[in-house]
Amino acid sequence: MSALGMAAALGGCGSTGSSDVTLKLVAADYGDSAANSSQKYWDKLAEAYEAKHSGVKVEVSVYSWNDVDRKVKEMVDAGHAPDMAQIGAYADYAAAGKLYQASDLLSIRTQADFLSQLADAGQWNHAQYGIPFGASTRVLFYNKTLFAKAGITPPTTWDELAADAKALKDKGVKYPFALPLGPEEAQAETMQWLLTGGNGGSGYTDDIGTYTIDSAQNVQTFTWLKDDLVGKGLTGPVAPGKLNRAAAFAAFADGQVGMLNGHPTLIQQAAQKGVKFGMVPMPGPTGKAKAAMGVADWMMGFKQNGHAKQIGDFLDFVYEQKNVLAFSREYGLLPVTGSASNAMSDSDSARDKDLHAFLDQLPTSQLYPVGKTSWAAVSAAVKNDIGQAVAPDGSPSAILTRLQATATTADSRTSG
């Protein structure tokens, strides 16, 4: 799901410089049923490519997000790396010298079309190895019906958010503000809050990539969450550390949640259940947050089989505008290229308009520090520990200090 690539070097039927090459791609499944499995998308795309490139076959294996990263790791460890993988992280493979740089694969036109902050996030050691594929941001979803009953309007500050949550609680809403800090995806909810904090929020790292998890702003943010939301019973009957994102989304779709941070897939999930909802930017302490959290998944090309030219030709095709838009629209994701983003922004179709709130935030969004090989260990620690920061006997300062120590240790190991 990413750039406009015309591959100037392609020129007609099958002139890829070699014949009878089979490219193997392992990809993640964005579908929620067999009917819309990503396998169907890739099979159709591969068939269209092969029709114009008779010397190249593309074999695609699609696995669930629960399995795909592990599957690729097993293949690489066994000495049978695929030619391409579309998965959640690239930095470990880049650091191990197993990946082509993006510039070794893609046409200049394709490279130039990526949204700059996504391309930058694909860098390891100042060179781009991760090619952005699918992107999303987060906005604040609210239940219009519950808000009307409580006589409230969407919040623009933290104080307003807490006041709205209290009004919803007083009306008997089960989850006035759902705060999923359970192990499924706590790193996402955490980062969203860190970015909204005082002085613009500090996220997980500073501007030069040093971990700043225990910064004063971050401690202040989690202290507010603990004292003003969780401590006042405004986050529902399940402790945030035990509430997973999927359960929170399901509760929103069932009409039991007043507000929560959500990504584009919640639109369809809620609409299917008939929930009337609105979407607004996540508030900060004194107004709209300066940055939203962005998430991108990654395409990468492995060196092992030596098919750089064929991989590049195929990826230039994958990132043509029409293909990027088709994938984005099928799975409710944001385009990672400027050309496709502009086309979606200019579109009046209902499906595209639903994504405009997320698209508006993408240019200024901040991503996980995915270019750091330590991020996987840090993310796992956040998932495991962050819920304790808002527990009744928890200490935000102590938990964030512990996570900072974990991050500093992991960073020194992986960079040393």
Side-chain angles (χ1 to χ4, degrees), residues 6-17 49 52-54 309 313 316 320:
M6 274 296 312
L10 277 193
C13 276
S15 57
T16 57
Y49 180 78
K52 294 184 178 180
H53 302 84
S54 57
K309 179 164 180 52
D313 284 346
D316 279 330
E320 288 183 13

Side-chain angles (χ1 to χ4, degrees), residues 1-4 113 115 319-326 328-329 334-347 352 359:
M1 131 125 307
S2 203
L4 171 294
D113 199 25
L115 296 173
Y319 286 114
E320 288 183 13
Q321 180 181 316
K322 66 179 186 296
N323 295 329
V324 172
L325 282 170
S328 303
R329 288 164 173 161
L334 304 181
V336 297
T337 62
S339 59
S341 289
N342 291 338
M344 186 175 279
S345 292
D346 294 340
S347 170
D352 286 350
L359 264 179

Side-chain angles (χ1 to χ4, degrees), residues 391-406:
D393 57 349
S395 165
S397 177
I399 294 299
L400 293 179
T401 298
R402 185 201 305 169
L403 288 170
Q404 177 69 29
T406 299

Side-chain angles (χ1 to χ4, degrees), residues 84-368:
M84 296 164 283
Q86 184 271 299
I87 51 178
Y90 66 86
D92 285 351
Y93 298 122
K98 295 182 181 297
L99 300 181
Y100 288 112
Q101 290 188 28
S103 58
D104 294 333
L105 302 172
L106 302 171
S107 70
I108 292 172
R109 185 173 180 179
T110 299
Q111 292 178 69
D113 199 25
F114 290 113
L115 296 173
S116 60
Q117 81 277 21
L118 299 182
D120 290 347
Q123 292 187 0
W124 176 81
N125 206 19
H126 309 295
Q128 186 184 353
Y129 294 88
I131 305 169
F133 188 71
S136 70
T137 59
R138 300 289 196 274
V139 300
L140 185 72
F141 281 71
Y142 67 97
N143 183 309
K144 288 185 173 181
T145 304
L146 298 179
F147 266 57
K149 287 179 180 175
I152 55 178
T153 56
T156 59
T157 67
W158 282 3
D159 285 347
E160 290 177 8
L161 188 150
D164 283 353
K166 184 179 186 307
L168 290 163
K169 182 185 179 184
D170 290 345
K171 288 293 184 180
V173 175
K174 188 173 181 179
Y175 294 92
F177 186 95
L179 183 66
L181 295 176
E184 178 200 359
E185 205 182 36
Q187 83 286 0
E189 185 74 16
T190 297
M191 184 168 174
Q192 183 67 71
W193 280 99
L194 297 184
L195 290 173
T196 68
N199 300 319
S202 66
Y204 288 113
T205 59
D206 62 17
D207 291 341
I208 60 171
T210 303
Y211 284 110
T212 54
I213 297 172
D214 63 347
S215 70
Q217 301 105 293
N218 291 347
V219 171
Q220 188 178 39
T221 295
F222 266 82
T223 300
W224 183 86
L225 281 173
K226 178 180 184 293
D227 294 345
D228 289 61
L229 278 189
V230 183
K232 293 183 178 177
L234 302 178
T235 54
V238 179
K242 296 188 181 304
L243 181 65
N244 280 327
R245 191 266 316 161
F249 278 21
F252 186 85
D254 286 338
Q256 299 176 332
V257 175
M259 300 173 275
L260 85 172
N261 290 318
H263 54 64
T265 60
L266 184 56
I267 294 173
Q268 193 170 8
Q269 191 174 350
Q272 285 174 343
K273 292 287 193 78
V275 172
K276 292 182 170 57
F277 62 89
M279 298 177 289
V280 294
M282 179 68 182
T286 58
K288 177 184 170 184
K290 290 185 173 63
M293 186 190 72
V295 176
D297 301 320
W298 303 97
M299 178 72 76
M300 61 213 71
F302 284 88
K303 290 179 177 178
Q304 181 177 325
N305 302 319
H307 294 149
K309 179 164 180 52
Q310 292 83 1
I311 292 170
D313 284 346
F314 176 65
L315 290 181
D316 279 330
F317 177 73
V318 167
Y319 286 114
E320 288 183 13
Q321 180 181 316
K322 66 179 186 296
N323 295 329
V324 172
L325 282 170
F327 189 88
S328 303
R329 288 164 173 161
E330 177 67 28
Y331 299 108
L333 293 166
L334 304 181
V336 297
T337 62
S339 59
S341 289
N342 291 338
M344 186 175 279
S345 292
D346 294 340
S347 170
D348 287 328
S349 79
R351 175 169 280 193
D352 286 350
K353 287 173 82 169
D354 280 342
L355 294 173
H356 286 179
F358 301 91
L359 264 179
D360 291 345
Q361 297 195 131
L362 191 57
T364 57
S365 64
Q366 292 188 29
L367 281 72
Y368 300 130

Side-chain angles (χ1 to χ4, degrees), residues 366-387:
Q366 292 188 29
L367 281 72
Y368 300 130
V370 289
K372 297 171 78 67
T373 52
S374 56
W375 170 241
V378 174
S379 176
V382 171
K383 290 179 182 182
N384 190 61
D385 292 348
I386 197 64

